[in-house]
């Protein structure tokens, strides 16, 4: 776990670092709002090669069940190399609400990212 | 309020004008369908610097509750400078159905766009 | 109906072929997952001129009602020329679950893609 400032190049650089290190999953938190310094989604988009928008869409839908402000999160999700990157909002409360949306998908996601050639039900 | 034709450069130009004028919010209506001259989302995308897809996603979900055709709206939403731009469909009935989705978020959205450094629950 | 391998240029080429042939609708199946060779969405994005994300969003929402893995589908949807292209996952079971989401929109979609100037309720 690493804490870094809202600096586009720095976020991009650290994401590349963890992708190159072979991490299966990278979760970022914060920097997904409308404040001018919220640029985590843009830095993430610069790193991913293939978007996987269903994670972010489902998290916004779940977020909106808890507060109308849930739709404000601009988080993106996608794949770089063999790594899945997902942007979470910064609020610990929101993270606790949204993480369960991902949990049932992560084992399958990691297996397919590693190139398991047996296609699953939904590929 | 201004009415302009389905002209890409003109839409782009007028959006830039209102962004530069410091508007907090720009709502467009119409030009979001599949008809060949519907290019408002593309012109909007050319202006925004940061996508805020949750507005458009939530509007399509709400629209689909009223008619299956709700998913046809190609509207986008995002931030240019300190301005939030949201594309609405052209039907007054649809606008009436969809605007309430945004209402509870707008005060918070405008505060954060202005750079209020106190991060909210979901940023 | 045509079966082709997970080859970016080949998918792109065949999509262009059917668009140029004047097809109203192109449905692809498979190649939408996280496996490294799943690149149908990227090839589709290279062909479409205007995104119509509501189809793919609604399909993921419906898919998630059947299995949490439904959010993994990276399918995109959009318009090239007068043709609507929609990516489906590869599983016949998933296709059976997701196709009904599109059915009530297709007649209207084809009419508007052909340039019928009478705007519908949601355009």
């Amino acid at each position: 776990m690493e804490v870094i400032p809202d600096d586009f190049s720095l976020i991009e650089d650290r994401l590349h670092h963890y992708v190159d290190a072979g991490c299966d999953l990278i979760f970022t938190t914060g920097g997904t709002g409308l404040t001018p310094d919220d640029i985590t989604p843009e830095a993430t988009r610069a790193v991913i090669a293939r978007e996987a928008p269903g994670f972010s869409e489902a998290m916004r839908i779940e977020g909106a069940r808890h507060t109308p402000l849930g739709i404000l999160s601009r988080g993106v999700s996608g794949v770089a190399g063999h790594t899945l990157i997902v942007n979470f909002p910064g609020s610990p409360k929101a993270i606790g609400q949204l993480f369960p949306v991902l949990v049932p998908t992560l084992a399958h996601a990691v297996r397919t990212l590693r190139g398991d050639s047996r296609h699953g039900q939904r590929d």
Side-chain angles (χ1 to χ4, degrees), chain A:
Chain A
M1 183 160 156
E2 186 178 3
V3 178
I4 55 177
D6 285 319
D7 177 305
F8 188 100
S9 299
L10 190 52
I11 297 172
E12 192 182 358
D13 178 72
R14 298 314 291 163
L15 291 176
H16 275 303
H17 169 79
Y18 289 113
V19 169
D20 293 345
C23 291
D24 289 317
L25 302 166
I26 301 176
F27 300 132
T28 70
T29 68
T32 63
L34 299 177
T35 306
D37 59 0
D38 286 330
I39 43 74
T40 300
E42 284 64 41
T44 302
R45 207 181 290 273
V47 172
I48 59 177
R50 299 184 293 156
E51 274 200 80
F55 296 99
S56 301
E57 291 168 8
M59 286 162 66
R60 277 187 283 271
I61 290 169
E62 179 61 24
R65 291 201 181 100
H66 298 278
T67 162
L69 300 185
I71 66 172
L72 296 181
S73 178
R74 305 187 308 100
V76 305
S77 38
V79 176
H82 296 267
T83 307
L84 174 67
I85 308 177
V86 179
N87 298 153
F88 281 79
S91 145
K93 185 175 167 191
I95 296 169
Q97 292 163 349
L98 304 181
F99 193 64
V101 173
L102 271 68
V103 169
T105 71
L106 295 180
H108 180 83
V110 169
R111 271 198 307 275
T112 53
L113 286 163
R114 288 179 179 175
D116 180 334
S117 61
R118 291 163 299 164
H119 275 232
Q121 185 197 347
R122 291 278 162 176
D123 301 343

